[in-house]
Every structure is written in C-alpha cells, then in structure tokens.
PDB file of all heavy atoms in Angstrom:
ATOM      1  N   ASN A  37      17.014   2.856  19.930  1.00 97.00           N
ATOM      2  CA  ASN A  37      16.911   3.030  21.389  1.00 97.00           C
ATOM      3  C   ASN A  37      17.174   4.491  21.823  1.00 97.00           C
ATOM      4  O   ASN A  37      16.753   4.909  22.885  1.00 97.00           O
ATOM      5  CB  ASN A  37      17.836   2.066  22.134  1.00 97.00           C
ATOM      6  CG  ASN A  37      17.274   0.639  22.109  1.00 97.00           C
ATOM      7  OD1 ASN A  37      16.041   0.424  22.066  1.00 97.00           O
ATOM      8  ND2 ASN A  37      18.153  -0.328  22.062  1.00 97.00           N
ATOM      9  N   ALA A  38      17.938   5.247  20.937  1.00 97.00           N
ATOM     10  CA  ALA A  38      18.170   6.652  21.252  1.00 97.00           C
ATOM     11  C   ALA A  38      17.045   7.560  20.717  1.00 97.00           C
ATOM     12  O   ALA A  38      17.156   8.792  20.813  1.00 97.00           O
ATOM     13  CB  ALA A  38      19.522   7.060  20.633  1.00 97.00           C
ATOM     14  N   GLY A  39      16.010   6.961  20.125  1.00 97.00           N
ATOM     15  CA  GLY A  39      14.875   7.739  19.711  1.00 97.00           C
ATOM     16  C   GLY A  39      14.620   7.858  18.235  1.00 97.00           C
ATOM     17  O   GLY A  39      13.649   8.503  17.793  1.00 97.00           O
ATOM     18  N   GLU A  40      15.460   7.256  17.389  1.00 97.00           N
ATOM     19  CA  GLU A  40      15.281   7.314  15.955  1.00 97.00           C
ATOM     20  C   GLU A  40      14.295   6.223  15.472  1.00 97.00           C
ATOM     21  O   GLU A  40      14.626   5.314  14.756  1.00 97.00           O
ATOM     22  CB  GLU A  40      16.605   7.161  15.212  1.00 97.00           C
ATOM     23  CG  GLU A  40      17.494   8.389  15.292  1.00 97.00           C
ATOM     24  CD  GLU A  40      18.711   8.249  14.376  1.00 97.00           C
ATOM     25  OE1 GLU A  40      18.579   8.147  13.165  1.00 97.00           O
ATOM     26  OE2 GLU A  40      19.851   8.266  14.970  1.00 97.00           O
ATOM     27  N   HIS A  41      13.060   6.366  15.940  1.00 97.00           N
ATOM     28  CA  HIS A  41      12.030   5.401  15.640  1.00 97.00           C
ATOM     29  C   HIS A  41      11.618   5.366  14.171  1.00 97.00           C
ATOM     30  O   HIS A  41      11.121   4.334  13.685  1.00 97.00           O
ATOM     31  CB  HIS A  41      10.787   5.647  16.522  1.00 97.00           C
ATOM     32  CG  HIS A  41      11.092   5.683  17.976  1.00 97.00           C
ATOM     33  ND1 HIS A  41      11.682   4.604  18.662  1.00 97.00           N
ATOM     34  CD2 HIS A  41      11.028   6.706  18.889  1.00 97.00           C
ATOM     35  CE1 HIS A  41      11.862   4.970  19.922  1.00 97.00           C
ATOM     36  NE2 HIS A  41      11.486   6.222  20.115  1.00 97.00           N
ATOM     37  N   GLY A  42      11.877   6.439  13.450  1.00 96.00           N
ATOM     38  CA  GLY A  42      11.545   6.490  12.014  1.00 96.00           C
ATOM     39  C   GLY A  42      12.335   5.498  11.175  1.00 96.00           C
ATOM     40  O   GLY A  42      11.939   5.200  10.080  1.00 96.00           O
ATOM     41  N   LEU A  43      13.443   5.030  11.706  1.00 97.00           N
ATOM     42  CA  LEU A  43      14.215   3.992  10.985  1.00 97.00           C
ATOM     43  C   LEU A  43      13.388   2.708  10.744  1.00 97.00           C
ATOM     44  O   LEU A  43      13.745   1.900   9.876  1.00 97.00           O
ATOM     45  CB  LEU A  43      15.494   3.663  11.727  1.00 97.00           C
ATOM     46  CG  LEU A  43      16.595   4.673  11.748  1.00 97.00           C
ATOM     47  CD1 LEU A  43      17.714   4.278  12.725  1.00 97.00           C
ATOM     48  CD2 LEU A  43      17.148   4.872  10.340  1.00 97.00           C
ATOM     49  N   ALA A  44      12.318   2.516  11.492  1.00 98.00           N
ATOM     50  CA  ALA A  44      11.485   1.322  11.382  1.00 98.00           C
ATOM     51  C   ALA A  44      10.643   1.356  10.079  1.00 98.00           C
ATOM     52  O   ALA A  44      10.125   0.315   9.690  1.00 98.00           O
ATOM     53  CB  ALA A  44      10.556   1.170  12.555  1.00 98.00           C
ATOM     54  N   VAL A  45      10.536   2.478   9.450  1.00 97.00           N
ATOM     55  CA  VAL A  45       9.711   2.626   8.212  1.00 97.00           C
ATOM     56  C   VAL A  45      10.667   2.644   7.017  1.00 97.00           C
ATOM     57  O   VAL A  45      11.628   3.388   7.001  1.00 97.00           O
ATOM     58  CB  VAL A  45       8.860   3.901   8.313  1.00 97.00           C
ATOM     59  CG1 VAL A  45       8.092   4.110   6.988  1.00 97.00           C
ATOM     60  CG2 VAL A  45       7.920   3.830   9.481  1.00 97.00           C
ATOM     61  N   HIS A  46      10.361   1.820   6.019  1.00 96.00           N
ATOM     62  CA  HIS A  46      11.217   1.708   4.841  1.00 96.00           C
ATOM     63  C   HIS A  46      10.385   1.851   3.570  1.00 96.00           C
ATOM     64  O   HIS A  46       9.288   1.222   3.483  1.00 96.00           O
ATOM     65  CB  HIS A  46      11.930   0.348   4.840  1.00 96.00           C
ATOM     66  CG  HIS A  46      13.120   0.311   3.945  1.00 96.00           C
ATOM     67  ND1 HIS A  46      12.981   0.147   2.574  1.00 96.00           N
ATOM     68  CD2 HIS A  46      14.457   0.395   4.195  1.00 96.00           C
ATOM     69  CE1 HIS A  46      14.200   0.158   2.047  1.00 96.00           C
ATOM     70  NE2 HIS A  46      15.104   0.299   2.987  1.00 96.00           N
ATOM     71  N   PRO A  47      10.855   2.591   2.580  1.00 93.00           N
ATOM     72  CA  PRO A  47      10.037   2.835   1.367  1.00 93.00           C
ATOM     73  C   PRO A  47       9.834   1.585   0.540  1.00 93.00           C
ATOM     74  O   PRO A  47       8.857   1.525  -0.228  1.00 93.00           O
ATOM     75  CB  PRO A  47      10.828   3.856   0.603  1.00 93.00           C
ATOM     76  CG  PRO A  47      12.255   3.799   1.150  1.00 93.00           C
ATOM     77  CD  PRO A  47      12.111   3.344   2.579  1.00 93.00           C
ATOM     78  N   ASN A  48      10.679   0.598   0.637  1.00 93.00           N
ATOM     79  CA  ASN A  48      10.532  -0.636  -0.152  1.00 93.00           C
ATOM     80  C   ASN A  48       9.885  -1.788   0.613  1.00 93.00           C
ATOM     81  O   ASN A  48      10.126  -2.964   0.214  1.00 93.00           O
ATOM     82  CB  ASN A  48      11.864  -1.039  -0.737  1.00 93.00           C
ATOM     83  CG  ASN A  48      12.366  -0.006  -1.730  1.00 93.00           C
ATOM     84  OD1 ASN A  48      11.589   0.590  -2.479  1.00 93.00           O
ATOM     85  ND2 ASN A  48      13.682   0.215  -1.793  1.00 93.00           N
ATOM     86  N   CYS A  49       9.166  -1.508   1.633  1.00 96.00           N
ATOM     87  CA  CYS A  49       8.495  -2.560   2.436  1.00 96.00           C
ATOM     88  C   CYS A  49       7.356  -3.151   1.680  1.00 96.00           C
ATOM     89  O   CYS A  49       6.635  -2.500   0.917  1.00 96.00           O
ATOM     90  CB  CYS A  49       8.015  -1.917   3.719  1.00 96.00           C
ATOM     91  SG  CYS A  49       7.107  -3.068   4.774  1.00 96.00           S
ATOM     92  N   GLY A  50       7.141  -4.423   1.895  1.00 95.00           N
ATOM     93  CA  GLY A  50       6.023  -5.147   1.284  1.00 95.00           C
ATOM     94  C   GLY A  50       4.683  -4.522   1.680  1.00 95.00           C
ATOM     95  O   GLY A  50       3.695  -4.602   0.917  1.00 95.00           O
ATOM     96  N   THR A  51       4.579  -3.903   2.857  1.00 96.00           N
ATOM     97  CA  THR A  51       3.358  -3.238   3.272  1.00 96.00           C
ATOM     98  C   THR A  51       2.978  -2.207   2.222  1.00 96.00           C
ATOM     99  O   THR A  51       1.787  -2.075   1.842  1.00 96.00           O
ATOM    100  CB  THR A  51       3.526  -2.538   4.618  1.00 96.00           C
ATOM    101  OG1 THR A  51       3.875  -3.513   5.601  1.00 96.00           O
ATOM    102  CG2 THR A  51       2.254  -1.802   5.065  1.00 96.00           C
ATOM    103  N   ASN A  52       3.944  -1.455   1.703  1.00 96.00           N
ATOM    104  CA  ASN A  52       3.686  -0.461   0.654  1.00 96.00           C
ATOM    105  C   ASN A  52       3.163  -1.074  -0.585  1.00 96.00           C
ATOM    106  O   ASN A  52       2.225  -0.589  -1.245  1.00 96.00           O
ATOM    107  CB  ASN A  52       4.916   0.349   0.336  1.00 96.00           C
ATOM    108  CG  ASN A  52       5.400   1.171   1.538  1.00 96.00           C
ATOM    109  OD1 ASN A  52       4.735   1.301   2.521  1.00 96.00           O
ATOM    110  ND2 ASN A  52       6.613   1.697   1.404  1.00 96.00           N
ATOM    111  N   PHE A  53       3.810  -2.165  -1.014  1.00 96.00           N
ATOM    112  CA  PHE A  53       3.422  -2.851  -2.250  1.00 96.00           C
ATOM    113  C   PHE A  53       2.033  -3.443  -2.149  1.00 96.00           C
ATOM    114  O   PHE A  53       1.214  -3.358  -3.072  1.00 96.00           O
ATOM    115  CB  PHE A  53       4.428  -3.960  -2.647  1.00 96.00           C
ATOM    116  CG  PHE A  53       5.830  -3.383  -2.783  1.00 96.00           C
ATOM    117  CD1 PHE A  53       6.927  -4.078  -2.311  1.00 96.00           C
ATOM    118  CD2 PHE A  53       6.076  -2.185  -3.415  1.00 96.00           C
ATOM    119  CE1 PHE A  53       8.205  -3.607  -2.449  1.00 96.00           C
ATOM    120  CE2 PHE A  53       7.343  -1.683  -3.553  1.00 96.00           C
ATOM    121  CZ  PHE A  53       8.445  -2.356  -3.079  1.00 96.00           C
ATOM    122  N   VAL A  54       1.721  -4.063  -1.014  1.00 97.00           N
ATOM    123  CA  VAL A  54       0.382  -4.669  -0.787  1.00 97.00           C
ATOM    124  C   VAL A  54      -0.653  -3.551  -0.765  1.00 97.00           C
ATOM    125  O   VAL A  54      -1.733  -3.683  -1.387  1.00 97.00           O
ATOM    126  CB  VAL A  54       0.340  -5.507   0.494  1.00 97.00           C
ATOM    127  CG1 VAL A  54      -1.059  -5.893   0.871  1.00 97.00           C
ATOM    128  CG2 VAL A  54       1.221  -6.734   0.327  1.00 97.00           C
ATOM    129  N   THR A  55      -0.388  -2.457  -0.104  1.00 97.00           N
ATOM    130  CA  THR A  55      -1.307  -1.352  -0.038  1.00 97.00           C
ATOM    131  C   THR A  55      -1.608  -0.799  -1.450  1.00 97.00           C
ATOM    132  O   THR A  55      -2.762  -0.605  -1.841  1.00 97.00           O
ATOM    133  CB  THR A  55      -0.763  -0.202   0.855  1.00 97.00           C
ATOM    134  OG1 THR A  55      -0.555  -0.723   2.189  1.00 97.00           O
ATOM    135  CG2 THR A  55      -1.731   0.968   0.937  1.00 97.00           C
ATOM    136  N   SER A  56      -0.549  -0.647  -2.220  1.00 97.00           N
ATOM    137  CA  SER A  56      -0.695  -0.150  -3.599  1.00 97.00           C
ATOM    138  C   SER A  56      -1.523  -1.132  -4.437  1.00 97.00           C
ATOM    139  O   SER A  56      -2.437  -0.721  -5.190  1.00 97.00           O
ATOM    140  CB  SER A  56       0.694   0.029  -4.268  1.00 97.00           C
ATOM    141  OG  SER A  56       1.396   1.041  -3.609  1.00 97.00           O
ATOM    142  N   GLY A  57      -1.224  -2.396  -4.357  1.00 97.00           N
ATOM    143  CA  GLY A  57      -1.928  -3.415  -5.147  1.00 97.00           C
ATOM    144  C   GLY A  57      -3.379  -3.498  -4.774  1.00 97.00           C
ATOM    145  O   GLY A  57      -4.260  -3.551  -5.674  1.00 97.00           O
ATOM    146  N   ILE A  58      -3.708  -3.472  -3.493  1.00 97.00           N
ATOM    147  CA  ILE A  58      -5.108  -3.516  -3.066  1.00 97.00           C
ATOM    148  C   ILE A  58      -5.884  -2.304  -3.510  1.00 97.00           C
ATOM    149  O   ILE A  58      -6.963  -2.418  -4.071  1.00 97.00           O
ATOM    150  CB  ILE A  58      -5.234  -3.703  -1.505  1.00 97.00           C
ATOM    151  CG1 ILE A  58      -4.775  -5.108  -1.126  1.00 97.00           C
ATOM    152  CG2 ILE A  58      -6.645  -3.399  -1.040  1.00 97.00           C
ATOM    153  CD1 ILE A  58      -4.641  -5.323   0.355  1.00 97.00           C
ATOM    154  N   LEU A  59      -5.311  -1.105  -3.308  1.00 97.00           N
ATOM    155  CA  LEU A  59      -6.014   0.116  -3.714  1.00 97.00           C
ATOM    156  C   LEU A  59      -6.207   0.195  -5.239  1.00 97.00           C
ATOM    157  O   LEU A  59      -7.272   0.573  -5.734  1.00 97.00           O
ATOM    158  CB  LEU A  59      -5.311   1.345  -3.138  1.00 97.00           C
ATOM    159  CG  LEU A  59      -5.414   1.548  -1.630  1.00 97.00           C
ATOM    160  CD1 LEU A  59      -4.721   2.812  -1.224  1.00 97.00           C
ATOM    161  CD2 LEU A  59      -6.871   1.527  -1.159  1.00 97.00           C
ATOM    162  N   ALA A  60      -5.144  -0.102  -5.979  1.00 97.00           N
ATOM    163  CA  ALA A  60      -5.239  -0.080  -7.445  1.00 97.00           C
ATOM    164  C   ALA A  60      -6.231  -1.113  -7.962  1.00 97.00           C
ATOM    165  O   ALA A  60      -7.042  -0.793  -8.879  1.00 97.00           O
ATOM    166  CB  ALA A  60      -3.865  -0.275  -8.102  1.00 97.00           C
ATOM    167  N   GLY A  61      -6.231  -2.289  -7.392  1.00 96.00           N
ATOM    168  CA  GLY A  61      -7.154  -3.314  -7.799  1.00 96.00           C
ATOM    169  C   GLY A  61      -8.590  -2.934  -7.500  1.00 96.00           C
ATOM    170  O   GLY A  61      -9.507  -3.125  -8.298  1.00 96.00           O
ATOM    171  N   LEU A  62      -8.826  -2.356  -6.301  1.00 97.00           N
ATOM    172  CA  LEU A  62     -10.121  -1.917  -5.909  1.00 97.00           C
ATOM    173  C   LEU A  62     -10.632  -0.800  -6.829  1.00 97.00           C
ATOM    174  O   LEU A  62     -11.767  -0.778  -7.240  1.00 97.00           O
ATOM    175  CB  LEU A  62     -10.115  -1.485  -4.467  1.00 97.00           C
ATOM    176  CG  LEU A  62     -11.428  -1.109  -3.806  1.00 97.00           C
ATOM    177  CD1 LEU A  62     -12.400  -2.320  -3.822  1.00 97.00           C
ATOM    178  CD2 LEU A  62     -11.206  -0.678  -2.355  1.00 97.00           C
ATOM    179  N   ALA A  63      -9.707   0.152  -7.172  1.00 96.00           N
ATOM    180  CA  ALA A  63     -10.071   1.249  -8.069  1.00 96.00           C
ATOM    181  C   ALA A  63     -10.480   0.702  -9.453  1.00 96.00           C
ATOM    182  O   ALA A  63     -11.471   1.158 -10.018  1.00 96.00           O
ATOM    183  CB  ALA A  63      -8.936   2.212  -8.201  1.00 96.00           C
ATOM    184  N   ALA A  64      -9.748  -0.253  -9.969  1.00 93.00           N
ATOM    185  CA  ALA A  64     -10.076  -0.838 -11.266  1.00 93.00           C
ATOM    186  C   ALA A  64     -11.420  -1.566 -11.176  1.00 93.00           C
ATOM    187  O   ALA A  64     -12.227  -1.521 -12.089  1.00 93.00           O
ATOM    188  CB  ALA A  64      -8.967  -1.730 -11.717  1.00 93.00           C
ATOM    189  N   PHE A  65     -11.647  -2.297 -10.106  1.00 93.00           N
ATOM    190  CA  PHE A  65     -12.903  -3.013  -9.912  1.00 93.00           C
ATOM    191  C   PHE A  65     -14.083  -2.017  -9.932  1.00 93.00           C
ATOM    192  O   PHE A  65     -15.091  -2.240 -10.551  1.00 93.00           O
ATOM    193  CB  PHE A  65     -12.868  -3.789  -8.579  1.00 93.00           C
ATOM    194  CG  PHE A  65     -14.158  -4.429  -8.256  1.00 93.00           C
ATOM    195  CD1 PHE A  65     -14.579  -5.586  -8.847  1.00 93.00           C
ATOM    196  CD2 PHE A  65     -14.959  -3.859  -7.273  1.00 93.00           C
ATOM    197  CE1 PHE A  65     -15.792  -6.196  -8.544  1.00 93.00           C
ATOM    198  CE2 PHE A  65     -16.188  -4.416  -6.940  1.00 93.00           C
ATOM    199  CZ  PHE A  65     -16.615  -5.610  -7.581  1.00 93.00           C
ATOM    200  N   ILE A  66     -13.898  -0.927  -9.183  1.00 94.00           N
ATOM    201  CA  ILE A  66     -14.980   0.112  -9.125  1.00 94.00           C
ATOM    202  C   ILE A  66     -15.238   0.654 -10.508  1.00 94.00           C
ATOM    203  O   ILE A  66     -16.401   0.853 -10.906  1.00 94.00           O
ATOM    204  CB  ILE A  66     -14.597   1.206  -8.097  1.00 94.00           C
ATOM    205  CG1 ILE A  66     -14.684   0.643  -6.699  1.00 94.00           C
ATOM    206  CG2 ILE A  66     -15.498   2.433  -8.252  1.00 94.00           C
ATOM    207  CD1 ILE A  66     -14.078   1.565  -5.634  1.00 94.00           C
ATOM    208  N   ALA A  67     -14.161   0.966 -11.268  1.00 93.00           N
ATOM    209  CA  ALA A  67     -14.337   1.510 -12.610  1.00 93.00           C
ATOM    210  C   ALA A  67     -15.067   0.531 -13.516  1.00 93.00           C
ATOM    211  O   ALA A  67     -15.833   0.954 -14.407  1.00 93.00           O
ATOM    212  CB  ALA A  67     -12.941   1.841 -13.209  1.00 93.00           C
ATOM    213  N   LEU A  68     -14.851  -0.747 -13.359  1.00 90.00           N
ATOM    214  CA  LEU A  68     -15.466  -1.753 -14.238  1.00 90.00           C
ATOM    215  C   LEU A  68     -16.823  -2.238 -13.720  1.00 90.00           C
ATOM    216  O   LEU A  68     -17.519  -2.941 -14.404  1.00 90.00           O
ATOM    217  CB  LEU A  68     -14.544  -2.904 -14.440  1.00 90.00           C
ATOM    218  CG  LEU A  68     -13.263  -2.530 -15.201  1.00 90.00           C
ATOM    219  CD1 LEU A  68     -12.304  -3.730 -15.235  1.00 90.00           C
ATOM    220  CD2 LEU A  68     -13.548  -2.040 -16.622  1.00 90.00           C
ATOM    221  N   PHE A  69     -17.177  -1.867 -12.510  1.00 89.00           N
ATOM    222  CA  PHE A  69     -18.426  -2.306 -11.869  1.00 89.00           C
ATOM    223  C   PHE A  69     -19.624  -1.868 -12.748  1.00 89.00           C
ATOM    224  O   PHE A  69     -19.745  -0.728 -13.091  1.00 89.00           O
ATOM    225  CB  PHE A  69     -18.555  -1.793 -10.472  1.00 89.00           C
ATOM    226  CG  PHE A  69     -19.702  -2.377  -9.694  1.00 89.00           C
ATOM    227  CD1 PHE A  69     -19.613  -3.657  -9.190  1.00 89.00           C
ATOM    228  CD2 PHE A  69     -20.873  -1.671  -9.515  1.00 89.00           C
ATOM    229  CE1 PHE A  69     -20.655  -4.228  -8.496  1.00 89.00           C
ATOM    230  CE2 PHE A  69     -21.949  -2.209  -8.806  1.00 89.00           C
ATOM    231  CZ  PHE A  69     -21.818  -3.481  -8.340  1.00 89.00           C
ATOM    232  N   GLY A  70     -20.466  -2.842 -13.086  1.00 85.00           N
ATOM    233  CA  GLY A  70     -21.622  -2.531 -13.838  1.00 85.00           C
ATOM    234  C   GLY A  70     -21.402  -2.455 -15.324  1.00 85.00           C
ATOM    235  O   GLY A  70     -22.322  -2.093 -16.106  1.00 85.00           O
ATOM    236  N   ALA A  71     -20.220  -2.784 -15.822  1.00 85.00           N
ATOM    237  CA  ALA A  71     -19.923  -2.701 -17.246  1.00 85.00           C
ATOM    238  C   ALA A  71     -20.515  -3.878 -17.996  1.00 85.00           C
ATOM    239  O   ALA A  71     -20.542  -3.886 -19.197  1.00 85.00           O
ATOM    240  CB  ALA A  71     -18.433  -2.667 -17.475  1.00 85.00           C
ATOM    241  N   GLY A  72     -21.002  -4.873 -17.274  1.00 85.00           N
ATOM    242  CA  GLY A  72     -21.578  -6.041 -17.918  1.00 85.00           C
ATOM    243  C   GLY A  72     -20.532  -6.971 -18.463  1.00 85.00           C
ATOM    244  O   GLY A  72     -19.364  -6.866 -18.136  1.00 85.00           O
TER     245      GLY A  72
END
C-alpha cells in the first residue's frame, strides 16, 4: 500500500514454471517437426 508493488512478483511462482514448460515444449516440438 506504500508503493512496493514489486513484492507481488516472486521468482518461484508457478507462472514462471508454466511459462518455461510451454516454451521449452514448443521449442522441442518445432525442432522435431517434420522428422517423420
């Protein structure tokens, strides 16, 4: 309430883990696309 809004962001949040998982999975999918 005094303005430290950055306290709302945490490095171990599930948002970070989900973002990492989706991007890594998508990257692997792209790498394997068309491999037969």
Side-chain angles (χ1 to χ4, degrees):
N37 286 328
E40 287 187 62
H41 306 298
L43 287 171
V45 177
H46 198 283
N48 294 325
C49 177
T51 301
N52 296 350
F53 302 138
V54 169
T55 302
S56 296
I58 289 172
L59 290 182
L62 187 58
F65 173 78
I66 289 168
L68 295 173
F69 188 76

